[in-house]
Structures are given as structure tokens and as C-alpha cells.
Amino acid sequence: MDIHSASRPDQARVRHLDLSLDVRFDRRILEGSCTLYFDRIFSDELILDTRELTIHSVDHAGGFELGAADPILGTPLKIRVAPGTDRVRVNYSTSPGASGLQWLDPPQTAGKRHPFLYTQSQAIHARSWIPLQDTPGVRVTYTAEIRTPPGLKAVMGADMQNGHFRMDQPIPSYLIALAAGDLAFQPLGPRSGVYAEPSVVDAAAHEFADTEAMISTVEEMYGPYRWGRYDLLVLPPSFPFGGMENPRLTFATPTVLAGDRSLVSLVAHELAHSWSGNLVTNATWSDFWLNEGFTVYVERRVLERVYGREREEMEAVLGRRELDREMAGLPESDCVLHIDLAGRDPDAGCTLVPYEKGALLLRTLERAAGRQRFDAFLRAYFDHFAFRSISTEDFLDYIRRELPTSVDLDEWIFRSGVPPGAAEPHSDAFTRVEAGWPADTRAWSTHEWLHFLRSQKDPDMPRLEREFHFSESGNSEILHQWLLMAVQRNYEPALPRVEQFLCSVGRRKFLKPIYSELIKTPEGQARACGIYAKARPGYHPIAQATIDGIVLESRA
Ligand code: BES
Ligand code: ZN
């Protein structure tokens, strides 16, 4: 049972969708139909999840009814189905404020001439643009016909052939994805390429040149890439996440385009989800660590093989430090891997705990079993559970049978914090960074700069700026770290840059810490309100909800 869905897949289970949608930029809606094919177990009712959908009619049904709206879960759509019926067609339109859609005006794009639309379905936003059983425990195949205004191209995380889309492998609803805009394409390898606005696509192709090497690296370790093509789509800067692992088509923030490939761990991460997450999927959002912890582990293995041990060690130490920092501010009950989300939005579970504590558990298991045995175990795990959605208990049963070790799995998964005896990462390069004011930084990587900034105990802001010009950094991670410190220390000369940053980037991971830091003082709070009033219309609904909770709450 998934507490975040009103659907009852134990009674009737949807297997396939046919979507037919008009992209109406003029009204900021999607309009059309979804035909759902289902297996009946028993019951004369099919219950779908919806949120702010207008249901015009339901064909092949004996009537329908919308239940009471829940602020987190949306509105159940109950459809009466006659015996023998195995499909219904829901004719519907979305609302302009749909939580899973962002409609961008031309000024919010790189080219400034055409509007842009993209979806973000994870965790429970698919229901705001498709009426379906919106739980990762249900997998569907689908086809789609998407109609866009002339000159605008639609893409989906699916097989795309002259405007028709089809996904023949069963996927959970949170992986259904669509985007439309002025898009160009550049190949990266025989089975990979990148979509982006025309003015961005060259930089994107340069940044992601190692994609094919990454794909074959994961294949060598964990078995064949099962989804055919692996393409990337670079979105406008308001995309609220770093990346989203939509099958066959990763969605990515343009803030990773640093020019030097220093932030491509994001590609390794989203690609790794093609095994951990898309192939073997968390059954509920309490099992989210099965998606993200495994993925961060695989991501780091890819980095090690493609960029060397030192790079992997630095990224692992950065992640480990950030985990401690975040856990220090979380309630104990949120520092467990299998998280209790009763009465909460699954977004609440999206902290570094499932990511970094999850990856640390797998590192610890690797150390206990030995790399060779652990790799064989993981490969078999992906094969065994391929195209299935599994719970933490399924994982526990499997590992206890296939790879018994002395690691206390119950402590790792159900208790708070990082247990003693974890396989802690270490970086010699970082030890050198910690050795005082640096003499020669010419060969420093982005990771060393980040560690340098984060290890300043009492940062001399004027000197840092004078010597290293952080406010002018073209690297979004370094710039973000610097601006966060500027807010913490109330370093006035950088505050205009803070405002500019918050008004031009919508990546939630960057916004949340800065706004949270700003509201800690009365002057900062006034500044936060002023900036947010300007920036909010450009943010994605998901980011708006998060920042509303920080900035608007602080005023109340
Ligand atoms: N699947 C996540 C993004 C996500 C998680 C969206 C939960 C909605 C709800 C994606 O794979 C991810 O983890 N992205 C990270 C980047 C990654 C390099 C750690 C992000 O967006 O920051
Ligand atoms: Zn992820």
C-alpha cells in the first residue's frame, strides 16, 4: 500500500496509457484525453489520482465522481466500470497552476523568442497533468500524440518517431515526462545526444562529451543499458532540480554547464538511475533511499572509473560533509533511511539522508563483502528485480539471502544517524587544501575550491574576494557556496550578486539554503521578501512551495 495514492491497484491495475494532448501555450493548459487499459482483479470501480484537473467526460464508463480534495494528495477520480470493460477514456484539461508543469514565457528562455513547457512528475505530480494511478508501485507502458504550435518541438522520455511517442517498457508514473519548446539536437555518441535551445546546445554537447564513456562503464559493472537511447535535455534555468532521470531522456539544469565538465557527476547520477530507480524502482516514497542511495553509490563508481580515484574521493567527502551538516538540522526521525511519511508530502523525505547515508551503507557493504562479491551481488540484484517496484523489506530479504555480512542493516535502515563502523571516505587532496592559505591554486578543481570555502572557520571575505574573485565565478556550485557565505557573514559587497543569482536561477538546492540563511536576521528577512517578490513568478511551482514555506512563514 502506498499512502500517497488514492488508487487501489489491488482491485484494478492500469497497464497501459494512450495519451492525446494539445499543448495550449495561450491558456497554459494541456487538453485532450488519456485512455487507460487495466486488469480487473475485482471491484466495479477504477480509482485514479488527479490534482486540479478538469474532467470533461469519461467514455466507456458507467459514470464518474470526484472525491474530496486533499491538500497533499489531490482529488480521487472514481470511475464506475461495467463488467467486461478493460478500458476507459478520460477527457480532461489541466489547470494553469498544475504542480507538475512549468509554463515559461519567452523572456525566461535562453532564446527569448518562444515559450517553453516542461513536466516534472516526481514525486506525486504526474496526477496534475494525467489522471492515473500515481504510485511507483504501478508500472505502465504508454503511447502519446502531442500537438504543439508550429515551430515548437515536443520531446518525451520515450521512443520518439516523427511526432509519435511510445514507451514499451513498463515504467512508474513519476517517470512520465514531456517538454516542448524551441529545441535543437546534437549527437554525443551512437546512442546518446543532447537537446537544448539552439543557443545552448553546443555548450551542452561539449560539457556532456563523456556520456558514452559513462554508459559503457555502468554496463561493464552492472549489465546492459536496457532503454535503447540515452539523451539529455537541458532545460531553462528555472528547472527546480539538478537533474531528473526520465527514461531515455534525462532532464538537466543548465547550471551544470560550467565549461570544464566539473559538474557532470549529475550525468553519472541520472544515468545510474537507468539501473537503480528506473529498472528497480522504490515501491513507495518511504523506500526512496533504494532509488537514491543506490544511485549515488553507482554514480561514484562511474566517476572513479571515468575520472579516477581522486575525483571520486573528493566528491564522496563533499557528500559526506554535507550529510552531517544537513542531519544536524533535521529531527532524528528524518535521519533514518526508511522514513515515515504519514500525513506528509513525499518531498519532505527528499533530504541528503536517502542519498548520502544510503550510498554510505552500500560503501560499507562493499567493504564488508569485498568489491568483487559486492559487484556481482548488485548486478544480480538489478537483474532479479528488473522492471519491478520493490520495498525496503524486499531488499532486506534479498540481501540477507544473497549476501550475508556482519553489517547491522536494521540499524542502518531504521535507526537515526550514521552508525559507527561506516566506510568513511577520505581525500588526500582535501587534506592538502586544509593546510592553510594556499600558495598555488592554479591546478585546483571545482571540488577543491568548494572544500576550501567550506573549511574556512572564520572566512576573511574581503581577502577571499580580492584574491579569488568568487563573485565572478562561472561555476554555479562555487558561486552558490560563496554567496551563501556572503549572506551568513552579511558581506555587503556580494549582496547585489545574491539578488541577481536568486532572480536568475530556480534550482531548489541553491535557493533553499540562501533564503533560509537570509531570514535569520530582520534586515535579511526584509531583503529576502523583496527579492522573493521579484523572483517568485519565475520559479517552478515546486520551488515556489518550498520557498513560500521559508520566506512567507517567516513573516507570519
Ligand atoms: N530523482 C531525483 C530528483 C528528484 C527527487 C525529484 C525527488 C523529485 C523528487 C534526481 O535523480 C536527483 O537526485 N537529482 C539531484 C542531482 C543529483 C546529482 C544528486 C538534484 O536534483 O539535485
Ligand atoms: Zn537521483
Side-chain angles (χ1 to χ4, degrees), residues 245 269-270 273 292 295 355:
E245 67 272 26
H269 180 96
E270 305 313 336
H273 273 306
E292 297 299 344
T295 294
Y355 288 79

Side-chain angles (χ1 to χ4, degrees), residues 50-99:
T50 75
R51 177 185 286 133
E52 293 181 43
L53 295 183
T54 304
I55 309 299
H56 303 305
S57 59
V58 181
D59 302 333
H60 319 296
F64 71 93
E65 179 190 6
L66 284 164
D70 177 279
I72 296 171
L73 303 181
T75 310
L77 169 61
K78 299 178 181 168
I79 300 171
R80 268 185 300 284
V81 284
T85 306
D86 69 348
R87 79 185 67 171
V88 292
R89 180 163 67 222
V90 182
N91 302 296
Y92 71 101
S93 44
T94 63
S95 87
S99 61

Side-chain angles (χ1 to χ4, degrees), residues 147-428:
R147 290 166 295 276
T148 50
L152 298 186
K153 185 179 171 63
V155 291
M156 291 190 85
D159 185 24
M160 310 190 247
Q161 265 161 33
N162 45 47
H164 305 279
F165 302 96
R166 59 183 311 128
M167 172 48 82
D168 291 327
Q169 289 146 306
I171 58 164
S173 54
Y174 77 87
L175 292 177
I176 304 178
L178 163 71
D182 180 18
L183 291 175
F185 176 78
Q186 258 198 49
L188 295 168
R191 52 177 164 174
S192 56
V194 60
Y195 294 89
E197 288 188 67
S199 66
V200 176
V201 78
D202 286 335
H206 176 265
E207 205 78 32
F208 301 146
D210 296 324
T211 300
E212 181 58 40
M214 290 183 182
I215 305 173
S216 41
T217 297
V218 196
E219 288 187 310
E220 283 160 27
M221 295 190 287
Y222 305 122
Y225 179 74
R226 309 225 202 179
W227 305 91
R229 291 194 59 83
Y230 179 77
D231 294 321
L232 291 132
L233 168 65
V234 178
L235 292 164
S238 66
F239 184 52
F241 298 105
M244 179 63 214
E245 67 272 26
N246 298 314
R248 297 174 64 100
L249 185 62
T250 283
F251 284 18
T253 170
T255 62
V256 295
L257 303 179
D260 61 0
R261 303 179 188 156
S262 62
L263 303 179
V264 294
S265 59
L266 179 122
V267 178
H269 180 96
E270 305 313 336
L271 170 67
H273 273 306
S274 307
W275 286 260
S276 44
N278 300 4
L279 199 56
V280 181
T281 306
N282 53 208
T284 75
W285 298 113
S286 290
D287 307 306
F288 182 57
W289 77 276
L290 291 177
N291 277 16
E292 297 299 344
F294 278 63
T295 294
V296 173
Y297 174 81
V298 174
E299 164 197 337
R300 302 256 160 86
R301 293 294 302 277
V302 172
L303 295 179
E304 181 185 325
R305 284 174 67 125
V306 177
Y307 299 107
R309 178 98 188 247
E310 185 165 77
R311 167 84 168 259
E312 187 280 334
E313 286 169 341
M314 292 192 289
E315 299 221 10
V317 172
L318 287 173
R320 181 69 185 88
R321 294 267 181 116
E322 289 301 289
L323 172 64
D324 273 345
R325 198 190 310 272
E326 182 160 21
M327 283 199 305
L330 289 176
E332 287 217 337
S333 53
D334 284 353
C335 299
V336 298
L337 288 177
H338 186 269
I339 187 176
D340 181 5
L341 291 170
R344 303 165 82 188
D345 191 306
D347 260 9
C350 194
T351 69
L352 285 176
V353 173
Y355 288 79
E356 293 292 343
K357 183 181 170 183
L360 199 57
L361 166 56
L362 295 204
R363 254 181 105 95
T364 305
L365 287 165
E366 181 204 311
R367 194 185 57 188
R371 182 167 274 195
Q372 232 187 337
R373 277 182 67 214
F374 192 63
D375 280 353
F377 164 80
L378 264 192
R379 188 179 180 136
Y381 165 86
F382 291 133
D383 284 341
H384 184 77
F385 292 113
F387 298 107
R388 284 167 58 189
S389 303
I390 70 166
S391 67
T392 297
E393 287 302 327
D394 294 328
F395 163 74
L396 280 172
D397 289 346
Y398 185 77
I399 191 167
R400 289 195 168 119
R401 201 165 62 234
E402 300 295 328
L403 192 76
T405 66
S406 60
V407 176
D408 186 341
L409 290 164
D410 282 323
E411 179 177 22
W412 271 93
I413 292 169
F414 300 107
R415 281 186 239 141
S416 187
V418 171
E424 296 288 353
H426 171 83
S427 158
D428 287 333

Side-chain angles (χ1 to χ4, degrees), residues 437-444 449 468:
W437 199 263
D440 182 358
T441 58
R442 278 171 302 179
W444 272 17
W449 282 115
F468 304 121

Side-chain angles (χ1 to χ4, degrees), residues 19-46:
L19 283 166
S20 172
L21 294 171
D22 283 312
V23 181
R24 299 279 308 262
F25 283 102
D26 55 336
R27 295 175 56 202
R28 298 193 154 200
I29 60 167
L30 298 175
E31 191 170 42
S33 69
C34 177
T35 307
L36 304 102
Y37 298 76
F38 53 93
D39 283 348
R40 199 95 67 93
I41 290 100
F42 54 89
S43 154
D44 49 9
E45 196 175 59
L46 174 68

